[in-house]
Amino acid sequence: MSNTLPPLPYAYNALEPYINEQIMTLHHTKHHQTYVNALNAAEAAYAKASTPKERIALQAALKFNGGGHINHSLFWKNLAPSAAAGKGNGGVLKDGPLKSAIEQVWGSLDALKKEFNTATLGIQGSGWGWLGYNTQTKRLEIATTPNQDPLLSLVPIIGVDIWEHAFYLQYLNVKPDYLNAIWNVINFEEAEARLVEASGNSKL
């Protein structure tokens, strides 16, 4: 089945002033659409491939564009209009399973943000910063992946795109400013729903 570009759950300008309309429009309609188109082309070519060599040759395109589609589809839901800007619930972590799970590991949301941003800034080039759930240890962990690699070792709870196309038009090369700002539009309600689903238990 062909992959399609998912609609944003908010307007392109809804995340301002933290992520501006121009970035969101280009990021969604151009960058994500390109991953979708290229993934569909790679899948079609794979279906027609008649030899192992041909199928192996398509692995890189499937991984890159498939990861781009998976990661961005999660990323859009990860964000919400900001409470600090009086627009929505973005950036607000209420009492509940997610807050408890964060405090269990880091002590506070601010401590998580600091460690998350430090780890994500350590990415060489492009990639993603993740807050993930380890189904073995039943704890949250911070992880990073290069390029468009999806998070496979953990269940993704929050993902932050650190590709330049996600921030450069607004923050230029100052990645720390972007990472500090994005917490104002993180949809913690969506993240908590993912955590509850991953853990299979609303009473974490």
Side-chain angles (χ1 to χ4, degrees), residues 42-118:
E43 287 183 346
Y46 190 90
K48 295 176 183 176
S50 58
T51 67
K53 184 176 181 180
E54 289 175 333
R55 288 189 283 270
I56 290 169
L58 289 162
Q59 292 301 310
L62 288 167
K63 180 181 179 182
F64 181 79
N65 294 295
H69 180 42
I70 291 168
N71 291 348
H72 283 87
S73 296
L74 183 150
F75 184 59
W76 308 133
K77 292 180 181 178
N78 229 112
L79 306 174
S82 174
K87 293 183 174 184
N89 63 350
V92 177
L93 176 62
K94 298 177 181 177
D95 290 338
L98 179 59
K99 185 176 181 180
S100 297
I102 289 171
E103 291 177 346
Q104 179 187 1
V105 180
W106 291 279
S108 69
L109 176 60
D110 284 343
L112 162 64
K113 290 177 182 178
K114 184 176 181 180
E115 187 175 324
F116 183 100
N117 288 2
T118 298

Side-chain angles (χ1 to χ4, degrees), residues 105-138:
V105 180
W106 291 279
S108 69
L109 176 60
D110 284 343
L112 162 64
K113 290 177 182 178
K114 184 176 181 180
E115 187 175 324
F116 183 100
N117 288 2
T118 298
T120 304
L121 284 169
I123 294 171
Q124 298 296 313
S126 300
W128 290 74
W130 300 98
L131 177 66
Y133 180 71
N134 186 322
T135 57
Q136 302 299 313
T137 63
K138 311 294 185 186

Side-chain angles (χ1 to χ4, degrees), residues 14 26 60 75 84 97 124 163-164 179 184-185 194 204:
L26 289 170
F75 184 59
Q124 298 296 313
W163 281 66
E164 284 192 343
L179 287 171
N184 291 285
V185 289
R194 285 192 198 136
L204 284 169

Side-chain angles (χ1 to χ4, degrees), residues 130-192:
W130 300 98
L131 177 66
Y133 180 71
N134 186 322
T135 57
Q136 302 299 313
T137 63
K138 311 294 185 186
R139 289 167 69 87
L140 293 171
E141 298 178 13
I142 291 168
T144 61
T145 56
N147 304 311
Q148 289 296 353
D149 290 8
L151 182 65
L152 301 177
S153 59
L154 305 167
V155 178
I157 304 301
I158 294 172
V160 174
D161 189 347
I162 199 68
W163 281 66
E164 284 192 343
H165 64 234
F167 64 87
Y168 197 86
L169 290 173
Q170 185 170 1
Y171 294 97
L172 301 178
N173 63 331
V174 190
K175 290 181 183 179
D177 286 356
Y178 163 67
L179 287 171
N180 286 329
I182 203 168
W183 290 102
N184 291 285
V185 289
I186 292 295
N187 186 342
F188 285 108
E189 291 181 11
E190 169 73 16
E192 183 167 90

